[in-house]
Short mmCIF file of all heavy atoms in Angstrom, two decimals:
data_model
loop_
_atom_site.label_atom_id
_atom_site.label_comp_id
_atom_site.label_asym_id
_atom_site.label_seq_id
_atom_site.Cartn_x
_atom_site.Cartn_y
_atom_site.Cartn_z
N MET A 171 -4.53 11.54 -1.28
CA MET A 171 -5.26 10.67 -2.21
C MET A 171 -6.53 10.19 -1.51
O MET A 171 -6.87 10.65 -0.42
CB MET A 171 -4.38 9.53 -2.73
CG MET A 171 -3.40 8.89 -1.78
SD MET A 171 -4.17 7.94 -0.46
CE MET A 171 -4.93 6.63 -1.42
N PHE A 172 -7.22 9.26 -2.13
CA PHE A 172 -8.54 8.84 -1.64
C PHE A 172 -8.61 7.32 -1.56
O PHE A 172 -8.26 6.63 -2.53
CB PHE A 172 -9.61 9.36 -2.61
CG PHE A 172 -11.02 9.01 -2.24
CD1 PHE A 172 -11.70 9.73 -1.27
CD2 PHE A 172 -11.67 7.96 -2.87
CE1 PHE A 172 -13.00 9.41 -0.92
CE2 PHE A 172 -12.99 7.64 -2.53
CZ PHE A 172 -13.64 8.38 -1.56
N SER A 173 -9.03 6.81 -0.41
CA SER A 173 -9.26 5.37 -0.27
C SER A 173 -10.76 5.12 -0.28
O SER A 173 -11.46 5.51 0.66
CB SER A 173 -8.69 4.85 1.05
OG SER A 173 -7.30 5.06 1.13
N GLY A 174 -11.28 4.53 -1.34
CA GLY A 174 -12.73 4.34 -1.49
C GLY A 174 -13.18 2.95 -1.09
O GLY A 174 -12.43 2.00 -1.19
N ASP A 175 -14.43 2.87 -0.66
CA ASP A 175 -15.00 1.57 -0.31
C ASP A 175 -15.60 0.85 -1.52
O ASP A 175 -15.86 -0.35 -1.45
CB ASP A 175 -16.10 1.74 0.75
CG ASP A 175 -15.56 1.54 2.16
OD1 ASP A 175 -14.36 1.21 2.31
OD2 ASP A 175 -16.34 1.70 3.12
N SER A 176 -15.89 1.60 -2.60
CA SER A 176 -16.52 0.96 -3.77
C SER A 176 -15.60 1.02 -4.97
O SER A 176 -15.15 2.11 -5.34
CB SER A 176 -17.81 1.69 -4.18
OG SER A 176 -18.62 1.93 -3.07
N PHE A 177 -15.32 -0.11 -5.55
CA PHE A 177 -14.60 -0.10 -6.84
C PHE A 177 -15.61 0.22 -7.95
O PHE A 177 -15.31 0.99 -8.85
CB PHE A 177 -13.94 -1.46 -7.08
CG PHE A 177 -13.02 -1.47 -8.26
CD1 PHE A 177 -11.68 -1.13 -8.13
CD2 PHE A 177 -13.49 -1.81 -9.53
CE1 PHE A 177 -10.83 -1.12 -9.22
CE2 PHE A 177 -12.64 -1.80 -10.62
CZ PHE A 177 -11.31 -1.46 -10.48
N TYR A 178 -16.81 -0.38 -7.85
CA TYR A 178 -17.84 -0.15 -8.85
C TYR A 178 -18.93 0.74 -8.26
O TYR A 178 -19.88 0.26 -7.65
CB TYR A 178 -18.44 -1.48 -9.31
CG TYR A 178 -17.41 -2.37 -9.99
CD1 TYR A 178 -16.92 -3.51 -9.34
CD2 TYR A 178 -16.91 -2.06 -11.24
CE1 TYR A 178 -15.98 -4.32 -9.95
CE2 TYR A 178 -15.96 -2.85 -11.86
CZ TYR A 178 -15.50 -3.98 -11.20
OH TYR A 178 -14.55 -4.77 -11.80
N GLY A 179 -18.75 2.07 -8.39
CA GLY A 179 -19.74 3.01 -7.83
C GLY A 179 -20.92 3.18 -8.78
O GLY A 179 -20.92 2.69 -9.90
N ASP A 180 -21.94 3.91 -8.31
CA ASP A 180 -23.14 4.13 -9.13
C ASP A 180 -23.05 5.40 -9.98
O ASP A 180 -23.57 5.44 -11.09
CB ASP A 180 -24.38 4.21 -8.23
CG ASP A 180 -24.60 2.90 -7.50
OD1 ASP A 180 -24.47 1.84 -8.15
OD2 ASP A 180 -24.88 2.93 -6.29
N ASP A 181 -22.40 6.43 -9.43
CA ASP A 181 -22.33 7.72 -10.12
C ASP A 181 -21.00 7.82 -10.87
O ASP A 181 -19.94 7.84 -10.25
CB ASP A 181 -22.45 8.84 -9.06
CG ASP A 181 -22.19 10.22 -9.66
OD1 ASP A 181 -22.10 10.34 -10.90
OD2 ASP A 181 -22.08 11.18 -8.87
N PRO A 182 -21.02 7.91 -12.19
CA PRO A 182 -19.75 7.94 -12.94
C PRO A 182 -18.90 9.18 -12.64
O PRO A 182 -17.69 9.18 -12.90
CB PRO A 182 -20.20 7.93 -14.41
CG PRO A 182 -21.64 8.32 -14.41
CD PRO A 182 -22.20 7.94 -13.07
N ASP A 183 -19.52 10.22 -12.09
CA ASP A 183 -18.77 11.46 -11.80
C ASP A 183 -18.33 11.59 -10.34
O ASP A 183 -17.87 12.65 -9.92
CB ASP A 183 -19.62 12.69 -12.16
CG ASP A 183 -19.83 12.81 -13.66
OD1 ASP A 183 -18.95 12.35 -14.42
OD2 ASP A 183 -20.89 13.33 -14.05
N TRP A 184 -18.49 10.54 -9.57
CA TRP A 184 -18.25 10.62 -8.12
C TRP A 184 -16.87 11.18 -7.77
O TRP A 184 -16.68 11.84 -6.76
CB TRP A 184 -18.42 9.24 -7.48
CG TRP A 184 -17.31 8.28 -7.85
CD1 TRP A 184 -17.29 7.43 -8.90
CD2 TRP A 184 -16.05 8.12 -7.19
NE1 TRP A 184 -16.11 6.74 -8.96
CE2 TRP A 184 -15.33 7.15 -7.91
CE3 TRP A 184 -15.46 8.70 -6.06
CZ2 TRP A 184 -14.05 6.74 -7.55
CZ3 TRP A 184 -14.18 8.29 -5.69
CH2 TRP A 184 -13.50 7.32 -6.43
#
Side-chain angles (χ1 to χ4, degrees):
M171 38 68 65
F172 180 80
S173 299
D175 265 357
S176 312
F177 189 89
Y178 298 107
D180 297 316
D181 172 9
D183 292 331
W184 70 269

